[in-house]
Amino acid sequence: MNTSLVIFNASEFGAVIRQGRKSQGLTQSELALAAGVSLRFVSELERGKQSASLELAFRIAGLLNIRVSASLPA
């Protein structure tokens, strides 16, 4: 299924990451290990901490097969 969401803040992005992780049956620890980040980072990302590294957040999204895109208003 191909679902597109419009995300407006870090909390919404974190919820998508959490949903993707759970849908693949991964724990936060397993995802952290696969992404090469700390468990704390995954936890904070899923909780919507605004200071999370965008590069690492995109890496985690990619591991979960979550495509992130941006567009400018017309």
Side-chain angles (χ1 to χ4, degrees):
M1 174 173 36
N2 186 7
T3 304
S4 294
L5 300 172
V6 178
I7 296 173
F8 292 101
N9 58 50
S11 292
E12 291 174 358
F13 184 77
V16 170
I17 294 297
R18 181 181 303 107
Q19 181 180 5
R21 174 182 59 78
K22 287 185 173 188
S23 74
Q24 293 188 30
L26 296 171
T27 66
Q28 287 182 334
S29 295
E30 291 167 334
L31 179 57
L33 183 62
V37 299
S38 68
L39 171 60
R40 180 178 176 173
F41 180 83
V42 172
S43 174
E44 289 177 349
L45 178 64
E46 288 187 359
R47 287 185 285 121
K49 184 173 181 181
Q50 294 181 2
S51 63
S53 164
L54 193 55
E55 180 179 353
L56 295 178
F58 284 170
R59 180 187 311 167
I60 288 172
L63 285 170
L64 296 172
N65 296 315
I66 297 170
R67 191 178 79 153
V68 179
S69 63
S71 62
L72 296 172

